[in-house]
């Protein structure tokens, strides 16, 4: 089953996202803040315009705010054509990089994933990089507690019938 994610960045702080498959969790978004629950998969959007005469551009995704150069704690890097580094397999680029979609998918989100992320598109030349800063909020999984009640039926000594327990939720 393929996942199709369509999104459009309309301003630096506004992203319109349309999901065509609900296996991706895109729980909440508000001005660069994304929220997921532990164990979910989340998409952090990032893109750039690929003009017909341009080739794909190297990018990096890092933890922390975007520094002046490169990425901070790098979680994923490309050379423009292929992924050259992944901190862990759960960090993925599932969009079409050659069309400028360099959105980061994080599978099996954990509480340690919370915090700021930086997407840097590394255009040639001084101070030409495009930077996108996003913040990931991770909420614990909600748990539900059930109380079991048991009823016992005593063993019938004459027929040697086993004891039966009935459980109700």
């Amino acid at each position: 089953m393929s996942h199709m994610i369509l999104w459009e960045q309309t301003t630096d702080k506004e992203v319109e996202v349309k999901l065509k498959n609900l296996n991706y969790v895109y729980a909440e978004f508000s001005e660069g803040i994304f929220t997921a629950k532990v164990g979910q998969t989340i998409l952090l959007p990032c893109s750039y315009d690929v003009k017909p005469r341009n080739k794909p551009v190297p990018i990096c995704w890092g933890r922390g705010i975007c520094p002046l150069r490169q990425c901070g704690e790098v979680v994923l890097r490309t050379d423009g054509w292929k992924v050259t580094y992944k901190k862990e397999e759960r960090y993925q680029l599932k969009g079409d990089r050659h069309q400028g979609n360099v959105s980061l998918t994080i599978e099996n989100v954990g509480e340690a994933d919370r915090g700021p992320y930086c997407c840097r598109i590394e255009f040639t030349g001084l101070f030409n990089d495009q930077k996108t800063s996003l913040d990931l909020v991770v909420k614990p999984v909600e748990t539900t507690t059930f109380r079991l009640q048991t009823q016992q039926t005593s063993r019938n000594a004459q027929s040697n019938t086993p004891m039966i327990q009935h459980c109700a939720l």
Side-chain angles (χ1 to χ4, degrees), residues 114-142:
R114 71 175 175 263
Y117 284 80
C118 171
C119 172
R120 180 183 294 269
I121 290 100
E122 301 171 338
F123 291 109
T124 306
L126 289 175
F127 306 109
N128 286 337
D129 291 356
Q130 174 185 318
K131 299 181 280 186
T132 303
S133 295
L134 307 165
D135 196 38
L136 178 58
V137 174
V138 178
K139 294 183 177 180
V141 174
E142 296 172 9

Side-chain angles (χ1 to χ4, degrees), residues 39-155:
Q40 290 182 325
T41 296
I42 190 152
L43 175 79
L44 300 178
C46 186
S47 71
Y48 66 98
D49 287 329
V50 178
K51 298 185 170 54
R53 62 184 176 275
N54 292 350
K55 61 182 182 176
V57 177
I59 68 104
C60 62
W61 273 96
R63 298 289 309 267
I65 59 170
C66 293
L68 288 175
R69 294 181 29 210
Q70 307 260 328
C71 283
E73 181 187 330
V74 177
V75 297
L76 190 140
R77 176 179 297 284
T78 77
D79 63 3
W81 297 102
K82 65 184 182 303
V83 174
T84 58
Y85 173 79
K86 267 193 275 190
K87 183 176 179 181
E88 296 178 36
E89 278 302 310
R90 59 196 192 93
Y91 296 110
Q92 304 280 328
L93 294 183
K94 294 187 175 184
D96 188 345
R97 290 186 305 277
H98 305 294
Q99 294 297 316
N101 182 348
V102 291
S103 299
L104 179 68
T105 298
I106 305 174
E107 298 174 342
N108 194 23
V109 171
E111 289 191 22
D113 293 317
R114 71 175 175 263
Y117 284 80
C118 171
C119 172
R120 180 183 294 269
I121 290 100
E122 301 171 338
F123 291 109
T124 306
L126 289 175
F127 306 109
N128 286 337
D129 291 356
Q130 174 185 318
K131 299 181 280 186
T132 303
S133 295
L134 307 165
D135 196 38
L136 178 58
V137 174
V138 178
K139 294 183 177 180
V141 174
E142 296 172 9
T143 58
T144 304
T145 304
F146 293 98
R147 184 173 163 213
L148 291 176
Q149 292 182 336
T150 61
Q151 293 178 331
Q152 268 186 341
T153 304
S154 62
R155 178 180 283 240

